[in-house]
Amino acid sequence: MKLYVSDGNPHGVKVLAAAGLWARDAEIQRLQQEDRVVPFLSQAKLPALQLDNGAFLFSSNAICRYFYLSAGKHLDDLSNQWLEWEATELQPVISAALYAHVIQGKRKEESLATVDKQLGHIVQSLTQSPYLVGDAVSIADIIVWGAIYPLITDVASLPEGLLSLKNWFKKVSEIESCQKAVESLLKGQGPVVFKVYLQKLPAPIIPSKTSVSNEPESEDTAAHALSEEDIAAATEAWSKGLTNAPRPKQRLHPILPIEGEKNILITSALPYVNNVPHLGNIIGSVLSADVFARYCRLRNWNTLYICGTDEYGTATETKAMEEGLTPRQICDKYNAIHAHIYEWFNISFDYFGRTTTDQQTRIAQDIFHRLLERNFLLKDTLEQLRCETCQRFLADRFVEGTCPFCNYEEARGDQCDKCGKLINAVELKRPQCKVCKQSPIIKSSQHLFLDLPKLEERLEKWLEQTFAVGDWTANARYITRSWIRDGLKPRCITRDLKWGTPVPLEGFTDKVFYVWFDAPIGYISITANYTDQWEKWWKNPQQVQLYNFMAKDNVPFHSVIFPSCLLGAEENYTLVNHLIATEYLNYEDGKFSKSRGVGVFGDMAKDTGIPTDIWRFYLLYLRPEGQDSAFSWSDLMMKNNSELLNNLGNFVNRAGMFVQKFFNGLVPEMELLSEDKRLLAQVTAELRQYNQLLEKVRIRDALRCILNISRHGNQYIQINEPWKCIKGTQQEQKRAGTVTGLAVNMAALLSVMLQPYMPTISVVIQEQLLVPQEACVLTGDFRCVLHCGHRIGTVSPLFQKLESDQIESLRKRFGGGQVKAEPIVPASTVDPVKETSKVGDPQRIKDLMQEVEKQGNHVRELKSKKAEKSVLDAEVQKLLALKKELALAEGKAPEAPTQKGKKKK
């Protein structure tokens, strides 16, 4: 393997130290920072590691991880936690502090003061042990030390009070490989050696200390990190326009991997055919995957997004029996329902297929034979639950009972939704057939099992490698590790059913494959139905990056069972590189239930009168990334009216209307002042943050960047008042032209950034502004794409206000039996806020207090800038509504509105 580094790059410290400790056989080559090593990246990125199989790693932490694991070291949960902390909390502030010290000339003491909190966290850990993870140096020590060394360089720089940190820093610095790394890169010059490298980069943006909320903040955290170099670079990129900008690539089917390019294969969990998906199902898999697929295409990456319905199993047989149809007829019916729902939600599959195909049978049976030939299958007798009333063995998901581990009373026959543990149906306490509600009996039958213990070692080795370099969500890592920690057991892969892929083995021909052996193979067979060259995607791990999207309950089947099958098949299958799992989306205060009429299901959304893109926006806004979230009608109304109508829509509409009204539909000439150039840098910083977040599939967080840009735009228009300037002197009229031209170009950029989230609105904005197609490739630069003289089309409002009575009607309509009986009150006093608030809920009160404070700051800021009365009044009403909701949550009577009028002095 070859390690490429560049002189004066601070990220090289940890990489070279790790190589000296755990990868002394790595060939080290020194290049210039602008040298492009990784062929599929749009920009040069060093350090980079080229593996023996030709693959590349280009994150310094990923490279260190790889060295560590290759040396046979074990990466435990605490070490992983330190690595995540270093990447998300420590590195951004260290980068900003180093930039301030080396480029902006701040004293080292001042720069160190900005990282007090992070250094304190290290100190707190070192009070318990001499190193970050126990009594010996680990990868955590090297990575954290390597991050802070470029800023500190000398232990004497650290404050006297941090004795444990000083001792630790001194011990790690004295390790031979660390000394050599420092000597190699710094050459005795100290932090100044990093100046050339830092000058070529935009100023680091220090992340907000608050969680991403997309709410207005009292001040712009990104603005303070901008340097003169950033502003100059943004201005230069703007001035080039579309010159030398990449053009959109034509997508011709079948889409196949291209050597030397970034080839992205995206799958979303196959929805079960007999269910109509609800909003939680949609955001958990297909919509999240769609956003990422659309983003990849905007980056000109070679992308294939496939999905389809999972159609085999007892659930299909039962549904067919209920509706008086054959299983094939029921599959045809519901496949069409699913396809129609996803079409309405504007899901951009490259191919949407199904699992009941000849290709599925052929590929599944081939994998089975390969596992059998390699002795990875066992025969054993399985005790199963059989319902004598229904005269059938019961599939796991058609049995409910009490979980044997946590006593949850609605555990399924294969897994408990509460504790997440896998269950054999016969282990359930008080099992019950979900069809007839009778108690089943236990009956024995011979079955085939996947010998997971035999595959465990190669599975663990693969997991360590993919964890080191892949973007797996925290819940996916945790669930997978808990499976491995508990020890793997043989897993049954056959069932006594008729509707399924036949088992091609004598003595088992009356059985079919179990759905969780069979269903993930559907990704492969659906691709095979899309193109006969499917192996170029699925047997090509060297060139393909595979992303799986799902809800957290599907994780073990995609991270343990399916990869074990493919590893055991020994045919160079493409395994998942990035597993993206969401938590659960609930409905108001409970769960979605089709039978009880609770919640919005995919086939109902279009009947609400709310456009597709509003549904997409709101679901993505509250995407359950780190914890469960809940759909709320009142919150949907608030987000539509504030973020979309008053923020995003208001800005885009005003920008276009100014061009139409003041300049006869022609983009005016722009003469940029310093404040305009600073705005260019702010927008560029948000655009680059958006790219960084979406590359890591942080979909919800990236949406904030779009709303931040439109918020910057509204403030810019409000401060400069082009509607007044246009009536003034010639110089003031020029100023109106500059502000209008810059604003309408921001709207054009937003139209592209919005495409993954709100594709219809994106098209509408581009049609209104007549944005050239050449502008529809995302890069890291904010370019002027609507030049002076560009004619725009007809501008009209993008969004409509949602009214309280409309939302209250929908809430009741979809409340089902879950709506609690309440005292009858006159219609005029019904308050939807009151009905959706939980009185006395401490967390809800805390959240509302924070929202009131933020909105109050926002209102004060608008007043200080003398905002338009209509804008100010709308934000004041929003503040009053929040205060009212807070009072209700605290169990107080809302304060009566005060009389308008000025106070006497």
Side-chain angles (χ1 to χ4, degrees):
M1 53 187 168
K2 293 181 181 179
L3 176 62
Y4 300 96
V5 295
S6 59
D7 288 335
N9 185 330
H11 299 292
V13 175
K14 66 176 82 165
V15 169
L16 287 173
L21 279 170
W22 303 302
R24 294 184 179 178
D25 59 336
E27 179 187 339
I28 298 174
Q29 293 191 16
R30 295 181 179 276
L31 305 173
Q32 297 300 312
Q33 185 59 33
E34 57 270 17
D35 288 341
R36 193 160 167 261
V37 174
V38 186
F40 50 80
L41 292 184
S42 57
Q43 296 179 341
K45 187 82 164 66
L46 294 176
L49 178 67
Q50 184 174 12
L51 304 180
D52 293 336
N53 62 6
F56 286 92
L57 303 182
F58 40 87
S59 154
S60 55
N61 281 12
I63 294 170
C64 293
R65 257 197 201 111
Y66 186 85
F67 289 158
Y68 191 70
L69 295 171
S70 297
K73 301 289 186 181
H74 174 65
L75 199 62
D76 58 19
D77 289 347
L78 184 55
S79 296
N80 271 310
Q81 181 175 292
W82 274 110
L83 269 58
E84 293 291 329
W85 176 80
E86 188 274 340
T88 57
E89 291 289 328
L90 179 62
Q91 190 58 248
V93 293
I94 287 289
S95 297
L98 186 62
Y99 191 94
H101 175 50
V102 176
I103 302 299
Q104 297 171 340
K106 286 190 178 180
R107 291 186 303 119
K108 184 181 285 190
E109 293 78 7
E110 292 178 29
S111 297
L112 277 172
T114 64
V115 298
D116 274 349
K117 179 182 176 184
Q118 287 71 24
L119 295 180
H121 179 67
I122 300 171
V123 170
Q124 186 177 6
S125 174
L126 293 172
T127 59
Q128 302 167 15
S129 59
Y131 295 98
L132 297 180
V133 184
D135 299 326
V137 171
S138 71
I139 187 175
D141 297 285
I142 297 302
I143 282 184
V144 173
W145 170 85
I148 66 176
Y149 190 92
L151 178 63
I152 296 171
T153 64
D154 183 0
V155 70
S157 303
L158 291 168
E160 288 299 325
L162 305 179
L163 183 59
S164 59
L165 178 61
K166 281 189 162 192
N167 290 336
W168 169 82
F169 185 83
K170 186 172 182 290
K171 282 188 294 185
V172 179
S173 298
E174 289 174 349
I175 296 171
E176 183 182 0
S177 66
C178 295
Q179 288 179 339
K180 288 183 177 179
V182 169
E183 292 167 3
S184 171
L185 282 175
L186 273 72
K187 298 179 172 52
Q189 298 181 50
V192 71
V193 77
F194 303 122
K195 185 172 183 178
V196 174
Y197 168 81
L198 293 170
Q199 283 176 330
K200 295 178 181 178
L201 299 179
I205 299 173
I206 302 175
S208 170
K209 293 180 181 178
T210 57
S211 60
V212 175
S213 65
N214 293 334
E215 295 297 333
E217 296 181 356
S218 57
E219 58 182 1
D220 176 31
T221 55
H224 297 294
L226 296 173
S227 69
E228 292 304 317
E229 288 82 0
D230 296 324
I231 294 170
T235 305
E236 182 181 0
W238 161 271
S239 66
K240 290 180 179 177
L242 291 172
T243 305
N244 298 324
R247 298 300 189 255
K249 290 183 179 178
Q250 188 175 7
R251 303 182 78 243
L252 300 175
H253 291 277
I255 299 162
L256 298 172
I258 300 172
E259 188 172 353
E261 291 198 13
K262 195 166 186 175
N263 299 299
I264 307 291
L265 176 58
I266 300 171
T267 70
S268 51
L270 305 181
Y272 204 72
V273 74
N274 74 319
N275 293 325
V276 176
H278 56 63
L279 297 181
N281 302 137
I282 290 167
I283 185 59
S285 56
V286 294
L287 179 53
S288 295
D290 180 63
V291 171
F292 186 66
R294 288 176 178 274
Y295 172 72
C296 291
R297 295 175 192 133
L298 281 179
R299 296 297 301 273
N300 264 349
W301 296 339
N302 191 40
T303 305
L304 178 66
Y305 176 23
I306 60 106
C307 188
T309 42
D310 175 12
E311 301 189 349
Y312 282 133
T314 297
T316 304
E317 290 183 354
T318 304
K319 191 72 174 178
M321 183 175 59
E322 289 173 3
E323 297 193 16
L325 300 171
T326 65
R328 169 59 68 186
Q329 288 172 328
I330 212 74
C331 290
D332 291 345
K333 173 183 174 180
Y334 280 91
N335 174 271
I337 290 173
H338 276 267
H340 180 70
I341 289 170
Y342 302 137
E343 182 181 2
W344 189 84
F345 273 94
N346 221 336
I347 307 299
S348 61
F349 303 120
D350 288 302
Y351 185 75
F352 185 78
R354 55 202 305 181
T355 58
T356 51
T357 66
D358 292 340
Q359 288 282 20
Q360 174 75 9
T361 301
R362 186 179 65 80
I363 296 171
Q365 290 183 348
D366 178 67
I367 292 173
F368 167 78
H369 280 302
R370 296 184 70 86
L371 290 169
L372 186 66
E373 290 164 3
R374 288 158 180 77
N375 297 316
F376 290 127
L377 298 180
L378 303 171
K379 296 178 183 179
D380 201 356
T381 299
L382 179 69
E383 290 186 329
Q384 290 179 262
L385 294 178
R386 178 178 172 83
C387 179
E388 294 298 287
T389 304
C390 298
Q391 284 295 298
R392 66 177 65 225
F393 284 100
L394 296 178
D396 294 339
R397 288 178 177 249
F398 275 76
V399 185
E400 275 189 353
T402 302
C403 175
F405 301 104
C406 70
N407 290 319
Y408 177 57
E409 293 184 353
E410 295 181 15
R412 300 194 309 264
D414 60 347
Q415 189 176 24
C416 174
D417 283 337
K418 185 175 181 182
C419 70
K421 289 187 179 294
L422 288 187
I423 302 169
N424 283 324
V426 293
E427 297 174 342
L428 286 172
K429 302 174 186 176
R430 297 179 290 281
Q432 197 178 66
C433 171
K434 287 184 69 175
V435 177
C436 68
K437 305 303 181 186
Q438 298 300 309
S439 297
I441 63 169
I442 296 176
K443 193 168 182 178
S444 297
S445 177
Q446 192 175 44
H447 285 274
L448 294 166
F449 291 73
L450 180 65
D451 193 349
L452 286 173
K454 206 173 197 179
L455 290 158
E456 189 166 0
E457 184 178 344
R458 65 176 72 185
L459 175 69
E460 285 195 56
K461 183 178 179 181
W462 167 75
L463 281 171
E464 285 182 348
Q465 292 173 342
T466 193
F467 278 176
V469 299
D471 291 317
W472 287 48
T473 51
N475 56 358
R477 291 174 185 264
Y478 175 79
I479 291 168
T480 303
R481 285 197 185 104
S482 66
W483 263 60
I484 301 296
R485 191 167 26 257
D486 294 342
L488 298 181
K489 299 175 183 177
R491 189 78 180 163
C492 186
I493 65 166
T494 55
R495 283 293 183 266
D496 289 298
L497 304 174
K498 296 177 181 178
W499 184 245
T501 302
V503 177
L505 183 65
E506 188 176 347
F508 294 88
T509 52
D510 59 338
K511 304 180 191 300
V512 299
F513 288 127
Y514 176 37
V515 67
W516 273 113
F517 172 80
D518 188 59
I521 297 171
Y523 297 132
I524 304 174
S525 72
I526 288 169
T527 311
N529 279 295
Y530 165 69
T531 172
D532 58 6
Q533 300 178 70
W534 62 272
E535 291 183 348
K536 291 183 178 180
W537 284 108
W538 284 102
K539 294 183 181 180
N540 190 5
Q542 293 79 18
Q543 293 185 344
V544 173
Q545 289 285 301
L546 172 59
Y547 288 77
N548 288 167
F549 286 79
M550 69 202 66
K552 64 182 178 183
D553 58 334
N554 280 339
V555 167
F557 306 106
H558 290 78
S559 67
V560 176
I561 294 178
F562 187 41
S564 294
C565 293
L566 297 183
L567 287 167
E570 296 179 351
E571 205 171 4
N572 196 37
Y573 273 104
T574 302
L575 303 179
V576 59
N577 303 98
H578 315 276
L579 203 156
I580 315 300
T582 61
E583 300 292 320
Y584 295 134
L585 176 70
N586 296 315
Y587 180 78
E588 297 282 357
D589 294 330
K591 292 183 177 182
F592 290 86
S593 172
K594 187 84 169 179
S595 61
R596 299 199 308 272
V598 175
V600 180
F601 285 71
D603 55 347
M604 305 170 178
K606 66 177 184 295
D607 298 328
T608 62
I610 297 173
T612 299
D613 271 11
I614 307 302
W615 284 109
R616 286 178 62 109
F617 169 83
Y618 183 61
L619 290 174
L620 293 161
Y621 190 100
L622 52 80
R623 184 174 182 262
E625 293 185 359
Q627 60 185 15
D628 291 357
S629 59
F631 173 92
S632 161
W633 284 108
S634 58
D635 188 53
L636 168 63
M637 179 179 71
M638 183 180 292
K639 295 300 184 292
N640 177 84
N641 295 348
S642 61
E643 291 292 12
L644 293 182
L645 185 64
N646 293 340
N647 176 14
L648 178 64
N650 182 50
F651 169 66
V652 173
N653 187 252
R654 291 170 88 190
M657 286 301 296
F658 290 157
V659 176
Q660 199 168 286
K661 183 178 179 181
F662 301 148
F663 300 98
N664 297 317
L666 298 175
V667 175
E669 184 180 354
M670 292 162 270
E671 296 181 4
L672 302 183
L673 303 180
S674 59
E675 62 185 276
D676 307 317
K677 294 176 181 178
R678 186 172 185 82
L679 179 61
L680 296 181
Q682 287 176 330
V683 173
T684 300
E686 294 290 355
L687 171 60
R688 292 182 177 179
Q689 181 79 344
Y690 169 92
N691 282 333
Q692 289 169 10
L693 289 167
L694 277 179
E695 284 174 14
K696 295 292 184 182
V697 206
R698 290 173 58 184
I699 293 170
R700 185 189 63 196
D701 290 350
L703 184 54
R704 180 190 188 189
C705 300
I706 295 174
L707 300 174
N708 282 347
I709 290 175
S710 60
R711 196 167 289 120
H712 284 312
N714 277 318
Q715 291 169 354
Y716 176 67
I717 288 174
Q718 206 59 42
I719 291 168
N720 286 282
E721 299 181 323
W723 61 91
K724 291 183 180 178
C725 292
I726 197 67
K727 301 174 184 176
T729 65
Q730 186 177 2
Q731 194 62 33
E732 287 173 328
Q733 290 175 6
K734 279 188 176 180
R735 184 66 191 147
T738 299
V739 172
T740 299
L742 180 47
V744 79
N745 270 280
M746 288 173 66
L749 174 65
L750 287 170
S751 75
V752 182
M753 295 174 70
L754 272 170
Q755 206 273 346
Y757 294 88
M758 306 178 78
T760 301
I761 291 295
S762 169
V763 169
V764 169
I765 297 173
Q766 291 181 11
E767 288 177 346
Q768 290 185 6
L769 303 182
L770 300 180
V771 176
Q773 277 301 301
E774 293 82 359
C776 296
V777 176
L778 268 182
T779 65
D781 294 324
F782 173 32
R783 300 167 180 263
C784 179
V785 300
L786 307 182
H787 289 278
C788 173
H790 172 89
R791 178 169 294 282
I792 69 168
T794 303
V795 177
S796 59
L798 300 174
F799 305 107
Q800 291 185 338
K801 185 178 181 181
L802 291 176
E803 302 292 348
S804 297
D805 55 353
Q806 175 191 4
I807 290 299
E808 177 61 13
S809 173
L810 290 169
R811 193 190 74 82
K812 289 182 176 179
R813 173 181 165 189
F814 294 102
Q818 195 165 292
V819 177
K820 297 176 182 176
E822 295 182 4
I824 298 175
V825 292
S828 60
T829 66
V830 172
D831 186 351
V833 171
K834 182 174 181 179
E835 293 191 40
T836 58
S837 296
K838 294 182 182 177
V839 177
D841 182 347
Q843 184 60 46
R844 181 64 177 149
I845 292 171
K846 180 181 177 182
D847 292 345
L848 284 169
M849 289 176 70
Q850 291 175 348
E851 288 185 46
V852 167
E853 182 181 1
K854 282 185 180 179
Q855 186 65 13
N857 289 334
H858 183 51
V859 169
R860 284 189 286 275
E861 185 181 7
L862 289 175
K863 286 180 178 177
S864 70
K865 294 179 178 178
K866 298 181 180 180
E868 286 181 304
K869 185 176 183 302
S870 60
V871 174
L872 183 60
D873 286 347
E875 295 304 312
V876 169
Q877 289 302 313
K878 183 177 173 183
L879 176 61
L880 293 174
L882 285 168
K883 286 183 175 179
K884 183 177 181 182
E885 189 172 0
L886 175 60
L888 291 167
E890 293 175 331
K892 301 175 184 177
E895 293 179 5
T898 55
Q899 295 294 319
K900 291 185 178 180
K902 294 185 178 179
K903 293 182 180 179
K904 293 182 180 180
K905 294 185 178 177

